[in-house]
Amino acid sequence: MRSYDEVDRVRDLVEKGLNDCAIARLTHLPRGTVRDWRASRRWKPRHPIPGISGYRLPTKCCAECGGPRHALDDLPDSYAYLLGLYLGDGCLSKQSRGVMRLRIALDERYPRIIHECFCGMQELLPHNRPHVQAIHSSRAVEVGISSKQLPCLFPQHAPGRKHERLIALTDWQEAIVNSRPDLLLRGLIHSDGCRCLNIIHHPKKTYSYPRYQFSNRSDDIRGIFCDACDLLGIEWRVMNRWNISVARRESVARMDEFVGPKT
């Protein structure tokens, strides 16, 4: 049986990004043991007993998911983009052994959006592997990643459809959105919005202009979109029950700086 000190040291080296061979050389543990600990996330010794030399309570675990403590104040900027995608067309689903999978459905016609989503997931959870797979009988693809940490990173997850329950950002999410509202809006538009050409027909003249539209059945998510626009000085208006429009020339130009047409 290994001591908790050994387990804790391996955990620290894993969090620093070392591979199994390097950890085995530094700790003088079998590489198979290191591999098994990394795969199973069993950071506690089998029978920890207080009072025995070498035992101490774990201090680097999240009480909610059991994984490493989250550095919520140090998440990559891409988190704001992924949050926008998740609020639009994402969900979390349960897998075995307490693992959750983040799934975001995207249109296969926009490979750059798919690539940006994939890279964002990889940056958010660098020790996990994202995947892209086709959704049968549709032109959509699913970009996903699995981790026990996901419910803590996306606390809006709960049973039921998003538009049928409360969706509210936490304090730490508000801080991220306040610092990068552009990336949140980019994710929201890439999931549930578009940049289109609005055509107006008059008896004497027909003219057109570009505008952005965001559509979501959740009042809360539409409110998050509008709040992010306000942070950037982007003017918006309510088109109808579920749609928000950004049509003023200056506001469209501002949105074009970080969104633009889907590709």
Side-chain angles (χ1 to χ4, degrees):
M1 181 173 64
R2 301 293 178 181
S3 71
Y4 188 79
D5 286 339
E6 290 176 302
V7 179
D8 194 46
R9 189 182 181 199
V10 169
R11 176 179 59 190
D12 290 339
L13 294 173
V14 168
E15 292 176 358
K16 290 179 181 178
L18 275 69
N19 61 33
D20 295 345
C21 292
I23 294 173
R25 286 195 298 269
L26 290 171
T27 60
H28 304 291
L29 291 170
R31 187 168 63 88
T33 299
V34 176
R35 182 189 63 240
D36 292 344
W37 286 356
R38 183 197 295 270
S40 65
R41 302 290 182 179
R42 293 176 181 173
W43 298 124
K44 298 179 182 179
R46 292 183 180 178
H47 303 289
I49 303 175
I52 293 182
S53 176
Y55 173 79
R56 58 189 175 89
L57 292 173
T59 59
K60 299 183 179 180
C61 292
C62 171
E64 295 294 327
C65 67
R69 184 174 296 174
H70 315 291
L72 298 176
D73 296 331
D74 196 31
L75 292 176
D77 288 346
S78 57
Y79 174 80
Y81 177 70
L82 287 177
L83 177 61
L85 291 178
Y86 166 76
L87 292 175
D89 282 324
C91 68
L92 297 186
S93 56
K94 291 183 178 180
Q95 296 182 292
S96 61
R97 299 181 180 179
V99 177
M100 301 291 287
R101 174 164 291 189
L102 171 62
R103 305 174 188 269
I104 295 177
L106 298 171
D107 195 318
E108 66 179 5
R109 294 178 301 173
Y110 306 124
R112 290 188 180 179
I113 294 178
I114 295 170
H115 178 71
E116 187 172 356
C117 176
F118 182 93
C119 293
M121 290 183 179
Q122 204 163 43
E123 188 176 7
L124 179 63
L125 296 167
H127 300 300
N128 301 64
R129 181 176 298 176
H131 73 271
V132 179
Q133 63 184 38
I135 299 176
H136 297 299
S137 304
S138 74
R139 67 184 188 192
V141 298
E142 176 188 290
V143 185
I145 194 168
S146 298
S147 172
K148 289 184 178 181
Q149 303 181 52
L150 288 169
C152 297
L153 297 174
F154 297 92
Q156 287 69 37
H157 170 68
R161 300 175 180 177
K162 294 191 188 82
H163 67 276
E164 295 175 347
R165 53 187 172 85
L166 175 67
I167 300 293
L169 300 181
T170 64
D171 291 341
W172 61 267
Q173 287 177 312
E174 289 277 9
I176 292 174
V177 170
N178 289 339
S179 66
R180 294 308 306 264
D182 55 332
L183 290 181
L184 176 76
L185 288 176
R186 182 175 173 85
L188 288 169
I189 292 293
H190 280 177
S191 58
D192 271 348
C194 67
R195 185 188 189 277
C196 58
L197 198 64
N198 194 38
I199 300 176
I200 305 296
H201 296 281
H202 283 296
K204 295 183 178 181
K205 183 180 179 181
T206 297
Y207 63 94
S208 62
Y209 60 90
R211 72 176 178 185
Y212 284 89
Q213 289 182 219
F214 177 70
S215 178
N216 196 289
R217 295 182 66 183
S218 167
D219 295 341
D220 297 327
I221 295 176
R222 291 197 308 277
I224 291 171
F225 175 87
C226 294
D227 289 343
C229 287
D230 290 342
L231 288 171
L232 294 170
I234 293 171
E235 296 185 55
W236 53 271
R237 68 178 181 87
V238 177
M239 292 179 61
N240 50 47
R241 183 178 178 184
W242 294 329
N243 293 277
I244 304 295
S245 170
V246 174
R248 289 292 184 95
R249 181 180 299 175
E250 297 81 4
S251 296
V252 171
R254 183 72 177 94
M255 293 275 280
D256 283 343
E257 293 176 9
F258 53 85
V259 183
K262 289 184 177 181
T263 55

